[in-house]
Coordinates of all heavy atoms in Angstrom, one line a residue:
L166 N -5.1 11.0 1.8 CA -5.9 11.5 3.0 C -5.8 13.0 3.1 O -4.6 13.5 3.1 CB -5.4 10.9 4.3 CG -5.3 9.4 4.6 CD1 -5.0 9.2 6.1 CD2 -6.8 8.8 4.3
V167 N -6.8 13.8 2.9 CA -6.8 15.2 3.0 C -7.2 15.6 4.4 O -8.3 15.3 4.9 CB -7.6 15.9 2.0 CG1 -7.6 17.3 2.1 CG2 -7.3 15.4 0.6
S168 N -6.3 16.1 5.2 CA -6.6 16.4 6.6 C -6.0 17.7 7.1 O -5.9 18.6 6.3 CB -6.1 15.2 7.5 OG -6.4 15.2 8.8
H169 N -5.5 17.8 8.3 CA -5.1 19.0 9.0 C -3.7 18.9 9.6 O -3.4 17.8 10.1 CB -6.2 19.4 9.9 CG -7.6 19.4 9.4 ND1 -8.2 20.6 9.0 CD2 -8.4 18.4 9.1 CE1 -9.4 20.3 8.4 NE2 -9.5 18.9 8.6
A170 N -3.0 20.0 9.8 CA -1.7 20.0 10.4 C -1.6 19.3 11.7 O -0.7 18.4 11.9 CB -1.2 21.4 10.5
G171 N -2.4 19.6 12.7 CA -2.3 19.1 14.0 C -2.6 17.6 13.9 O -1.9 16.8 14.7
F172 N -3.7 17.2 13.2 CA -4.1 15.7 13.2 C -2.9 14.9 12.5 O -2.7 13.8 12.9 CB -5.4 15.5 12.6 CG -5.8 14.1 12.7 CD1 -6.1 13.5 13.9 CD2 -5.7 13.3 11.5 CE1 -6.5 12.2 13.9 CE2 -6.1 11.9 11.5 CZ -6.5 11.4 12.8
L173 N -2.5 15.4 11.3 CA -1.4 14.7 10.6 C -0.2 14.6 11.4 O 0.4 13.5 11.3 CB -1.1 15.5 9.3 CG -2.2 15.5 8.3 CD1 -1.7 16.3 7.0 CD2 -2.5 14.0 7.8
N174 N 0.1 15.5 12.3 CA 1.3 15.3 13.3 C 1.0 14.1 14.2 O 1.8 13.2 14.4 CB 1.4 16.6 14.1 CG 2.4 16.4 15.2 OD1 3.5 16.0 15.1 ND2 1.9 16.7 16.5
L175 N -0.2 14.0 14.8 CA -0.5 12.9 15.6 C -0.6 11.6 14.9 O -0.2 10.5 15.4 CB -1.9 13.1 16.3 CG -1.9 14.1 17.5 CD1 -3.3 14.1 18.1 CD2 -0.9 13.8 18.5
L176 N -1.2 11.7 13.6 CA -1.2 10.4 12.9 C 0.2 9.8 12.5 O 0.4 8.6 12.6 CB -2.0 10.6 11.5 CG -2.1 9.4 10.6 CD1 -2.8 8.3 11.2 CD2 -2.9 9.9 9.4
L177 N 1.1 10.7 12.1 CA 2.5 10.2 11.8 C 3.1 9.7 13.1 O 3.9 8.7 13.0 CB 3.3 11.4 11.2 CG 3.0 11.7 9.8 CD1 3.5 13.0 9.3 CD2 3.7 10.5 9.0
Q178 N 2.8 10.3 14.2 CA 3.3 9.8 15.5 C 2.8 8.3 15.8 O 3.5 7.4 16.1 CB 3.0 10.7 16.7 CG 3.8 12.0 16.6 CD 3.5 12.9 17.8 OE1 2.8 12.5 18.7 NE2 3.9 14.2 17.8
A179 N 1.4 8.2 15.5 CA 0.9 6.9 15.7 C 1.3 5.9 14.7 O 1.7 4.7 15.1 CB -0.6 7.0 15.5
I180 N 1.6 6.3 13.5 CA 2.1 5.4 12.4 C 3.6 4.9 12.8 O 3.9 3.7 12.7 CB 2.1 6.0 11.1 CG1 0.8 6.2 10.5 CG2 3.0 5.2 10.1 CD1 0.6 6.9 9.3
H181 N 4.4 5.9 13.3 CA 5.8 5.5 13.6 C 6.2 5.2 15.0 O 7.3 5.0 15.3 CB 6.7 6.7 13.1 CG 6.7 6.8 11.6 ND1 7.3 5.9 10.7 CD2 6.1 7.8 10.7 CE1 7.1 6.3 9.5 NE2 6.4 7.4 9.5
G182 N 5.1 5.2 15.9 CA 5.3 4.8 17.2 C 5.9 5.8 18.2 O 6.5 5.5 19.2

Side-chain angles (χ1 to χ4, degrees):
L166 305 183
V167 182
S168 187
H169 307 263
F172 183 74
L173 289 176
N174 172 52
L175 283 188
L176 179 57
L177 279 163
Q178 290 181 9
I180 289 171
H181 291 290

